[in-house]
Amino acid sequence: MADQRKFFVGGNWKMNGSKSSIDPIIKDLNEKGLNPKTEVVVAAPSLYLAYTREKLDKKLGVAAQNCYKVEKGAFTGEISPAMIKDIGVQWVILGHSERRHVFGESNTLIGEKVAHALAGGLHILPCIGEKLEEREANKTEEVCFSQLKEIADNVKNVADWSRVVVAYEPVWAIGTGKVATPAQAQEIHHSLRQWLAKNVSADVAKSVRILYGGSVTADNCKELGTQPDVDGFLVGGASLKPEFINIINARQ
């Protein structure tokens, strides 16, 4: 069944970039040979979403890095799924660890965002993952399952799972240079898939893509990408560099 799940690579630019620095990234993505069997989505800062969507090949997706749980209103600084769709963008990242741990977003709030983004017609990239102290306390599954439950509870229709790509990002590996071994990544991805089979459905567990994120580079992506339950990557810093092309082509 893994062969039926299209490999997916997302690039999260985070709070980085300017028009002049984004242009060469877009040029590389548009002109260099990307594996046609890989789905590619890049998440630009909100100020550059329209610019990126306009310049990037239409075969490639663009994502917002966050959105709020309602369509409009007195929520200074927020953007809504309706606004994201209005500029031609189809994806949004939700619940990234930096939203959870820097900005204090709760599982409940992230679940509400999941429900509203799906109702608004977006594709979503919800993120889950444990901190180092949680892994060392053998709480990886407990933490990840509770985060995944809040997401799953807010996917109101089974058909909506076709617009969900889950990203497992161990917090201790994000931007640290530390990376889960292929065996560690496979173990938790397999556990997440088993949880989906038990708590959602066997069909969803077989079809939903689960990405790995956390210090993914051109050097480690090929081995990580061979794991049967790793369906791609959500890439941070490396998505701003030329090596992002090599990560996209990890399965070539």
Side-chain angles (χ1 to χ4, degrees):
M1 185 66 199
D3 292 340
Q4 297 175 36
R5 295 190 297 266
K6 188 171 185 178
F7 201 66
F8 186 108
V9 175
N12 180 11
W13 296 349
K14 305 191 180 184
M15 197 177 72
N16 294 294
S18 61
K19 286 184 178 180
S20 61
S21 67
I22 288 170
D23 283 344
I25 298 172
I26 292 175
K27 187 173 188 291
D28 270 0
L29 290 168
N30 285 348
E31 296 180 4
K32 297 212 171 159
L34 305 185
N35 186 345
K37 295 181 179 179
T38 298
E39 184 171 1
V40 179
V41 173
V42 293
S46 57
L47 284 173
Y48 300 116
L49 282 171
Y51 183 80
T52 302
R53 181 63 285 169
E54 178 188 343
K55 301 282 187 180
L56 193 66
D57 190 310
K58 296 299 182 283
K59 296 193 299 288
L60 309 178
V62 177
Q65 297 176 12
N66 188 35
C67 70
Y68 198 49
K69 63 179 182 178
V70 296
E71 182 179 2
K72 59 184 177 180
F75 303 103
T76 301
E78 294 290 340
I79 61 174
S80 72
M83 294 172 178
I84 293 166
K85 282 199 75 176
D86 191 44
I87 59 169
V89 171
Q90 299 296 328
W91 287 86
V92 64
I93 296 173
L94 296 172
H96 190 278
S97 66
E98 288 148 17
R99 299 305 312 175
R100 294 176 185 271
H101 302 303
V102 178
F103 296 99
E105 292 192 3
S106 66
N107 279 352
T108 300
L109 175 59
I110 292 160
E112 291 169 338
K113 291 182 177 189
V114 164
H116 184 63
L118 287 172
L122 290 179
H123 293 68
I124 65 169
L125 277 160
C127 302
I128 61 175
E130 82 283 7
K131 294 186 283 189
L132 181 60
E133 57 267 32
E134 292 165 338
R135 172 167 280 271
E136 290 177 341
N138 294 315
K139 291 184 175 179
T140 295
E141 288 191 353
E142 177 186 334
V143 170
C144 291
F145 290 171
S146 69
Q147 293 172 347
L148 185 56
K149 182 180 188 304
E150 197 68 42
I151 293 162
D153 286 350
N154 284 282
V155 182
K156 303 299 186 183
N157 302 302
V158 171
D160 287 341
W161 280 100
S162 67
R163 292 187 283 123
V164 179
V165 176
V166 176
Y168 165 66
E169 295 198 301
V171 180
W172 49 271
I174 298 173
T176 63
K178 297 178 181 178
V179 62
T181 66
Q184 286 174 321
Q186 169 57 24
E187 180 181 23
I188 185 61
H189 280 232
H190 180 66
S191 296
L192 293 168
R193 208 173 295 286
Q194 287 184 314
W195 187 95
L196 288 168
K198 180 179 178 182
N199 295 280
V200 181
S201 78
D203 286 344
V204 166
K206 289 175 185 175
S207 62
V208 75
R209 290 172 290 182
I210 304 175
L211 313 182
Y212 172 78
S215 298
V216 176
T217 66
D219 292 331
N220 60 33
C221 65
K222 281 192 178 292
E223 191 175 2
L224 284 163
T226 63
Q227 303 305 303
D229 288 298
V230 175
D231 302 310
F233 309 113
L234 184 57
V235 184
S239 69
L240 299 164
K241 302 173 183 177
E243 70 177 288
F244 187 48
I245 304 298
N246 301 104
I247 298 172
I248 292 169
N249 294 336
R251 282 196 172 172
Q252 268 191 339

PDB file of all heavy atoms in Angstrom, residues 2-3 21-22 37 40 51 96 109 149 152 155 160 164 166 169 179-180 182 210:
ATOM      1  N   ALA A   2       2.073   1.158   0.570  1.00  0.00           N
ATOM      2  CA  ALA A   2       2.952   2.331   0.596  1.00  0.00           C
ATOM      3  C   ALA A   2       3.200   2.856  -0.812  1.00  0.00           C
ATOM      4  O   ALA A   2       3.312   4.065  -1.026  1.00  0.00           O
ATOM      5  CB  ALA A   2       4.276   1.975   1.276  1.00  0.00           C
ATOM      6  N   ASP A   3       3.268   1.940  -1.788  1.00  0.00           N
ATOM      7  CA  ASP A   3       3.507   2.356  -3.164  1.00  0.00           C
ATOM      8  C   ASP A   3       2.350   3.170  -3.726  1.00  0.00           C
ATOM      9  O   ASP A   3       2.513   3.920  -4.684  1.00  0.00           O
ATOM     10  CB  ASP A   3       3.739   1.129  -4.052  1.00  0.00           C
ATOM     11  CG  ASP A   3       5.049   0.424  -3.734  1.00  0.00           C
ATOM     12  OD1 ASP A   3       5.922   1.076  -3.133  1.00  0.00           O
ATOM     13  OD2 ASP A   3       5.175  -0.761  -4.059  1.00  0.00           O
ATOM     14  N   SER A  21      15.369  36.737  -2.314  1.00  0.00           N
ATOM     15  CA  SER A  21      15.879  35.420  -1.911  1.00  0.00           C
ATOM     16  C   SER A  21      14.933  34.293  -2.325  1.00  0.00           C
ATOM     17  O   SER A  21      15.359  33.153  -2.508  1.00  0.00           O
ATOM     18  CB  SER A  21      16.127  35.378  -0.399  1.00  0.00           C
ATOM     19  OG  SER A  21      14.920  35.464   0.329  1.00  0.00           O
ATOM     20  N   ILE A  22      13.653  34.599  -2.463  1.00  0.00           N
ATOM     21  CA  ILE A  22      12.684  33.603  -2.895  1.00  0.00           C
ATOM     22  C   ILE A  22      12.839  33.298  -4.385  1.00  0.00           C
ATOM     23  O   ILE A  22      12.674  32.153  -4.821  1.00  0.00           O
ATOM     24  CB  ILE A  22      11.243  34.087  -2.586  1.00  0.00           C
ATOM     25  CG1 ILE A  22      10.989  34.022  -1.077  1.00  0.00           C
ATOM     26  CG2 ILE A  22      10.199  33.271  -3.337  1.00  0.00           C
ATOM     27  CD1 ILE A  22       9.704  34.700  -0.643  1.00  0.00           C
ATOM     28  N   LYS A  37       6.886  11.772  -9.621  1.00  0.00           N
ATOM     29  CA  LYS A  37       6.143  10.910  -8.699  1.00  0.00           C
ATOM     30  C   LYS A  37       6.091  11.477  -7.282  1.00  0.00           C
ATOM     31  O   LYS A  37       5.571  10.829  -6.369  1.00  0.00           O
ATOM     32  CB  LYS A  37       6.769   9.506  -8.673  1.00  0.00           C
ATOM     33  CG  LYS A  37       6.647   8.767 -10.003  1.00  0.00           C
ATOM     34  CD  LYS A  37       7.249   7.383  -9.914  1.00  0.00           C
ATOM     35  CE  LYS A  37       7.099   6.637 -11.242  1.00  0.00           C
ATOM     36  NZ  LYS A  37       7.709   5.292 -11.177  1.00  0.00           N
ATOM     37  N   VAL A  40       4.928  18.155  -4.364  1.00  0.00           N
ATOM     38  CA  VAL A  40       5.747  19.181  -3.721  1.00  0.00           C
ATOM     39  C   VAL A  40       4.876  20.371  -3.335  1.00  0.00           C
ATOM     40  O   VAL A  40       4.088  20.870  -4.145  1.00  0.00           O
ATOM     41  CB  VAL A  40       6.883  19.653  -4.663  1.00  0.00           C
ATOM     42  CG1 VAL A  40       7.717  20.748  -3.991  1.00  0.00           C
ATOM     43  CG2 VAL A  40       7.769  18.481  -5.059  1.00  0.00           C
ATOM     44  N   TYR A  51       2.828  36.157  -4.019  1.00  0.00           N
ATOM     45  CA  TYR A  51       4.000  36.272  -4.896  1.00  0.00           C
ATOM     46  C   TYR A  51       4.501  34.879  -5.290  1.00  0.00           C
ATOM     47  O   TYR A  51       4.773  34.607  -6.471  1.00  0.00           O
ATOM     48  CB  TYR A  51       5.098  37.053  -4.175  1.00  0.00           C
ATOM     49  CG  TYR A  51       6.329  37.305  -5.004  1.00  0.00           C
ATOM     50  CD1 TYR A  51       6.366  38.333  -5.949  1.00  0.00           C
ATOM     51  CD2 TYR A  51       7.486  36.537  -4.832  1.00  0.00           C
ATOM     52  CE1 TYR A  51       7.500  38.575  -6.706  1.00  0.00           C
ATOM     53  CE2 TYR A  51       8.619  36.769  -5.580  1.00  0.00           C
ATOM     54  CZ  TYR A  51       8.623  37.801  -6.526  1.00  0.00           C
ATOM     55  OH  TYR A  51       9.757  38.035  -7.269  1.00  0.00           O
ATOM     56  N   HIS A  96       2.226  23.366  13.930  1.00  0.00           N
ATOM     57  CA  HIS A  96       3.680  23.170  13.942  1.00  0.00           C
ATOM     58  C   HIS A  96       4.190  23.362  15.367  1.00  0.00           C
ATOM     59  O   HIS A  96       3.634  24.138  16.145  1.00  0.00           O
ATOM     60  CB  HIS A  96       4.350  24.167  12.989  1.00  0.00           C
ATOM     61  CG  HIS A  96       5.797  23.879  12.760  1.00  0.00           C
ATOM     62  ND1 HIS A  96       6.775  24.277  13.642  1.00  0.00           N
ATOM     63  CD2 HIS A  96       6.438  23.199  11.773  1.00  0.00           C
ATOM     64  CE1 HIS A  96       7.953  23.873  13.194  1.00  0.00           C
ATOM     65  NE2 HIS A  96       7.781  23.217  12.070  1.00  0.00           N
ATOM     66  N   LEU A 109      -7.190  24.251  20.318  1.00  0.00           N
ATOM     67  CA  LEU A 109      -7.192  25.307  19.297  1.00  0.00           C
ATOM     68  C   LEU A 109      -6.781  24.739  17.943  1.00  0.00           C
ATOM     69  O   LEU A 109      -7.402  25.047  16.907  1.00  0.00           O
ATOM     70  CB  LEU A 109      -6.249  26.444  19.694  1.00  0.00           C
ATOM     71  CG  LEU A 109      -6.062  27.555  18.652  1.00  0.00           C
ATOM     72  CD1 LEU A 109      -7.386  28.226  18.311  1.00  0.00           C
ATOM     73  CD2 LEU A 109      -5.046  28.590  19.137  1.00  0.00           C
ATOM     74  N   LYS A 149      -5.225  12.569  18.085  1.00  0.00           N
ATOM     75  CA  LYS A 149      -6.652  12.416  18.396  1.00  0.00           C
ATOM     76  C   LYS A 149      -7.392  13.735  18.198  1.00  0.00           C
ATOM     77  O   LYS A 149      -8.497  13.759  17.644  1.00  0.00           O
ATOM     78  CB  LYS A 149      -6.838  11.913  19.827  1.00  0.00           C
ATOM     79  CG  LYS A 149      -8.315  11.675  20.189  1.00  0.00           C
ATOM     80  CD  LYS A 149      -8.479  11.174  21.602  1.00  0.00           C
ATOM     81  CE  LYS A 149      -9.932  10.746  21.870  1.00  0.00           C
ATOM     82  NZ  LYS A 149     -10.920  11.816  21.607  1.00  0.00           N
ATOM     83  N   ALA A 152      -7.778  14.134  14.489  1.00  0.00           N
ATOM     84  CA  ALA A 152      -8.725  13.174  13.914  1.00  0.00           C
ATOM     85  C   ALA A 152     -10.166  13.488  14.312  1.00  0.00           C
ATOM     86  O   ALA A 152     -11.089  13.343  13.506  1.00  0.00           O
ATOM     87  CB  ALA A 152      -8.360  11.753  14.343  1.00  0.00           C
ATOM     88  N   VAL A 155     -11.649  15.986  11.908  1.00  0.00           N
ATOM     89  CA  VAL A 155     -11.860  15.641  10.491  1.00  0.00           C
ATOM     90  C   VAL A 155     -13.252  15.028  10.437  1.00  0.00           C
ATOM     91  O   VAL A 155     -13.447  13.858  10.757  1.00  0.00           O
ATOM     92  CB  VAL A 155     -10.782  14.668   9.977  1.00  0.00           C
ATOM     93  CG1 VAL A 155     -11.007  14.371   8.494  1.00  0.00           C
ATOM     94  CG2 VAL A 155      -9.386  15.247  10.189  1.00  0.00           C
ATOM     95  N   ASP A 160     -12.794  13.684   3.899  1.00  0.00           N
ATOM     96  CA  ASP A 160     -11.873  14.807   4.111  1.00  0.00           C
ATOM     97  C   ASP A 160     -10.445  14.347   4.396  1.00  0.00           C
ATOM     98  O   ASP A 160      -9.500  15.136   4.271  1.00  0.00           O
ATOM     99  CB  ASP A 160     -12.361  15.684   5.268  1.00  0.00           C
ATOM    100  CG  ASP A 160     -13.580  16.509   4.904  1.00  0.00           C
ATOM    101  OD1 ASP A 160     -13.842  16.681   3.700  1.00  0.00           O
ATOM    102  OD2 ASP A 160     -14.267  16.994   5.831  1.00  0.00           O
ATOM    103  N   VAL A 164      -5.767  15.551   3.987  1.00  0.00           N
ATOM    104  CA  VAL A 164      -4.933  15.611   5.194  1.00  0.00           C
ATOM    105  C   VAL A 164      -3.620  14.874   4.951  1.00  0.00           C
ATOM    106  O   VAL A 164      -3.625  13.721   4.526  1.00  0.00           O
ATOM    107  CB  VAL A 164      -5.657  14.984   6.410  1.00  0.00           C
ATOM    108  CG1 VAL A 164      -4.760  15.032   7.652  1.00  0.00           C
ATOM    109  CG2 VAL A 164      -6.987  15.675   6.674  1.00  0.00           C
ATOM    110  N   VAL A 166      -0.357  14.178   7.379  1.00  0.00           N
ATOM    111  CA  VAL A 166       0.154  14.347   8.742  1.00  0.00           C
ATOM    112  C   VAL A 166       1.675  14.444   8.718  1.00  0.00           C
ATOM    113  O   VAL A 166       2.342  13.700   7.991  1.00  0.00           O
ATOM    114  CB  VAL A 166      -0.287  13.157   9.632  1.00  0.00           C
ATOM    115  CG1 VAL A 166       0.311  13.276  11.035  1.00  0.00           C
ATOM    116  CG2 VAL A 166      -1.812  13.076   9.703  1.00  0.00           C
ATOM    117  N   GLU A 169       6.983  15.454  13.526  1.00  0.00           N
ATOM    118  CA  GLU A 169       8.224  16.222  13.691  1.00  0.00           C
ATOM    119  C   GLU A 169       8.653  16.185  15.149  1.00  0.00           C
ATOM    120  O   GLU A 169       8.124  16.948  15.973  1.00  0.00           O
ATOM    121  CB  GLU A 169       8.016  17.673  13.255  1.00  0.00           C
ATOM    122  CG  GLU A 169       7.718  17.853  11.791  1.00  0.00           C
ATOM    123  CD  GLU A 169       7.960  19.295  11.347  1.00  0.00           C
ATOM    124  OE1 GLU A 169       7.336  20.199  11.905  1.00  0.00           O
ATOM    125  OE2 GLU A 169       8.799  19.496  10.462  1.00  0.00           O
ATOM    126  N   VAL A 179      18.737  14.049  14.250  1.00  0.00           N
ATOM    127  CA  VAL A 179      17.704  13.476  13.394  1.00  0.00           C
ATOM    128  C   VAL A 179      17.353  12.087  13.905  1.00  0.00           C
ATOM    129  O   VAL A 179      18.219  11.364  14.414  1.00  0.00           O
ATOM    130  CB  VAL A 179      18.183  13.416  11.919  1.00  0.00           C
ATOM    131  CG1 VAL A 179      19.398  12.517  11.775  1.00  0.00           C
ATOM    132  CG2 VAL A 179      17.071  12.992  10.987  1.00  0.00           C
ATOM    133  N   ALA A 180      16.064  11.757  13.842  1.00  0.00           N
ATOM    134  CA  ALA A 180      15.671  10.391  14.206  1.00  0.00           C
ATOM    135  C   ALA A 180      16.338   9.423  13.239  1.00  0.00           C
ATOM    136  O   ALA A 180      16.476   9.707  12.048  1.00  0.00           O
ATOM    137  CB  ALA A 180      14.149  10.257  14.129  1.00  0.00           C
ATOM    138  N   PRO A 182      16.481   6.172  10.826  1.00  0.00           N
ATOM    139  CA  PRO A 182      15.408   5.582  10.017  1.00  0.00           C
ATOM    140  C   PRO A 182      14.551   4.605  10.811  1.00  0.00           C
ATOM    141  O   PRO A 182      13.328   4.581  10.656  1.00  0.00           O
ATOM    142  CB  PRO A 182      16.177   4.895   8.892  1.00  0.00           C
ATOM    143  CG  PRO A 182      17.408   5.734   8.729  1.00  0.00           C
ATOM    144  CD  PRO A 182      17.787   6.143  10.125  1.00  0.00           C
ATOM    145  N   ILE A 210       2.020  10.069   5.959  1.00  0.00           N
ATOM    146  CA  ILE A 210       2.653  10.536   7.195  1.00  0.00           C
ATOM    147  C   ILE A 210       4.088  10.925   6.859  1.00  0.00           C
ATOM    148  O   ILE A 210       4.892  10.096   6.430  1.00  0.00           O
ATOM    149  CB  ILE A 210       2.627   9.451   8.292  1.00  0.00           C
ATOM    150  CG1 ILE A 210       1.182   8.981   8.544  1.00  0.00           C
ATOM    151  CG2 ILE A 210       3.242   9.992   9.574  1.00  0.00           C
ATOM    152  CD1 ILE A 210       1.075   7.822   9.534  1.00  0.00           C
TER     153      ILE A 210
END
